[in-house]
Every structure is written in C-alpha cells, then in structure tokens.
Amino acid sequence: MKITRIETFLVPPRWLFCRIETDDGVVGWGEPVVEGRAEVVRAAVDVLADYLLCKDPLRIQDHWQVLTKGGFYRGGPVLSSAVAGLDQALWDIAGKTYGAPVHALLGGPVRERVRVYAWVGGDEPAQLTEQITAQVEAGFTAVKMNAAGATSPITTAAETAAVVARVAAARDVLGPDRDVAVDFHGRFTAASARRVLAELAPLHPLFVEEPVVPEHGHLLPGLVAATPIPLATGERLYSRGEFLPALTAGIAVAQPDLSHAGGISEVHRIASLADTYGAQLAPHCPLGPIALAASLQVAFATPNFLIQEQSRGIHYNKDADLLSYLADPAPFRFVDGHAPRNDAPGLGITLDEAAVREADRTGHAWRNPVWRHSDDSFAEW
C-alpha cells in the first residue's frame, strides 16, 4: 500500500483538515491547524507531503521521525501541527487497514468511557449561572471557564474579586460533587496569578490552566509551591522536551493538543512521560471533530488520563460546529458527561466529504483578537 494523494481543506469556523489517500482506496483524516495561522500550516503540510507521497502509510513511527527531525531546523507550532494532522491521518489509515480502533493499536482500552467537560463563557455571574445550569441539565459533571478578560500586570482588588465572584457563582450551581476548571489563559503575570490562586483555593477548582504564559514556565515551581490548587498547562507546548520542565516544576495536569503536539504518536509519549511525574493527561481540544476523535483514542488507551475538552457550544464555533462535517454524529453523543468507548476502525468517525469540500470553497481567515489595556498597551489574549 502506498500514499497517492494528500489534500488539505480550510473549513469554517477556524479549522484545517487533511486527507491522505492510498492506492488501496483507504483514506485517513487528520486535523493539522494552528488557530489563527491555518493557512501557514496548510503550506507546511504541502511541503511535508512531498516526502510522504509513494510511501507505505503504515510506517507511522518512521515517518514521524523523518517529518519532525529530517529538517535541520525543527519544532515550533507550525511544523509540529502539520506533523500532528498527518500523524492522525496515518493512524486512521492503520486502524482501517487492520480493522481496529486506534486505541487497540496503542495497547488496548483501559476504560469504558471518557469523562468530558463543557466550556462556559459568560462574563457575568448571572450569565454563568444560566450557562452552567444548562450544562448540568445536559448531563455534564464538569465545566471550564475563563478566569478573566484582559488583566492588569498586577491585579487590582476589583479584578481579583471579580474572578472569585465568577468561580463562586459556578461552584454554587455545581455543588461539591461536580467540577469547575479555571483557565487563566496566560493572561496573568506570576505575581497576579499567585494573588488570585490564594483567593480561589477555598472554591476547590479541578485545576487552574495556564497560570502564566509558556515563556514564563521557569516560574512554575514557585506557583506550584504557593497553591494547593492543581496547576495545568501544555496547549502551547509541542513535544516531550518542552513538557519536561513543566513536569519537573510539579504541574498536576499535562494538556497537550493532539493537533499541535505531534499528533497521536507524540501525545501518547507525553502521557507516559507525565505518568512518571504523577501528572494526569487532559488533552486540549477546542477544535474540530478529527482532533476530538484522535484525543478520545489516546484517552481510551492512557492510564493517567483525567478529562477531555470538547468544543460543542464553544463561542468560536459561529459558522460551523463540532458535528457539522460528520456523516454520523453518534460518536459524539455524550452520556452523563462521558463519551462511550467507540470500537469503529481508525479514529472512529466518518466525515461528510462532500460537506468538507464545499466548506473549503468558502474557507476562512480566522484570527484571534488583539487586546489592549486602558493605556493602549498590548494585553495578553
């Protein structure tokens, strides 16, 4: 079996899909994207495709080595995301060829269902109450929310109080038996994060995500030591090497993204590395159906898995949703806040290829917003 064609599709709301076809007619799908830089990743996929054409698609690990290390200049979000989508598609082909789900090829399932959480984004406590109530009624046992918008370098008393009020409102709805995760989104300096973490501790968040930007990862040990709240990070880390300092710093939750951190192959290895530090895996995934399907395959085969992000209802999905490009939405019908095990071959989903090709005709040019402080200086988004 040989790879005969590799295509990419720029589809709303902000995703990039890739399709790998073989001479035996087996097709695999992947989702290589950097949100806001999808066109750049598309070009990187085209460059890497030159190597894969006419190769045996089942030599996944060998291809991963060449795609990530075959160039003298390595790494970074664009290259690792291009590799990630291609890697997902190759695993999809392997599963379909062997008639098995990817989690079986990774060593077999270690659980029968995967816990997932819903995103809520109301900026005011009243909005949060309504949104979280809806998610609880839908069966979810955990939600994640942003802590704040643009935040001062040193948080004011009012800013700190607003964060606490929002998380308290979430806790009031969820009660003690459900979970709330709080995303700092790298918007806080280490000093501000330390101040806010101290106030949030009594509300018992499941974890606090990205307490500082990744380039301030050397400050994580101090933050870990300063709070009893489990700290999580990793959506902007792209390899085992980049996760190692965060894990040695003592993070409790590793959050690699299957569409950024080298795909199924590398995230499976990151999970094993995290396990040696007693850390749990909670893959980042505010993306499309292929990325989620790949994430779930890893989750089913990972002993130290915690919880899975998914994008149904997320505010980015304005022109299409998680289910828009699926021929059958059944794999993403969550039951009591969990995804049941899916034993269909490959990634376990069937895309509506006609819908994907039609969406690519429109494409998108999604960019994240650029925020400013009150003095018009740049603010972290």
Side-chain angles (χ1 to χ4, degrees), residues 183-240:
D183 191 355
F184 279 20
H185 217 255
R187 294 171 183 167
F188 292 73
T189 62
S192 291
R194 192 177 297 109
R195 171 177 281 174
V196 176
L197 287 167
E199 299 292 328
L200 289 181
L203 295 170
H204 210 84
L206 177 64
F207 55 76
V208 164
E209 178 176 332
E210 272 204 321
V212 291
V213 290
E215 53 264 40
H216 290 169
H218 58 285
L219 301 176
L220 283 172
L223 292 175
V224 170
T227 180
I229 300 174
L231 298 186
T233 197
E235 69 186 75
R236 290 186 277 184
L237 303 176
Y238 311 114
S239 67
R240 284 161 288 162

Side-chain angles (χ1 to χ4, degrees), residues 318-352:
K318 296 185 183 301
D319 301 315
D321 195 55
L322 183 67
L323 307 182
S324 296
Y325 303 110
L326 292 177
D328 179 5
F332 298 147
R333 288 192 180 124
F334 305 131
V335 180
D336 297 328
H338 290 75
R341 199 178 91 203
N342 179 0
D343 288 327
L347 295 180
I349 60 172
T350 302
L351 290 182
D352 181 343

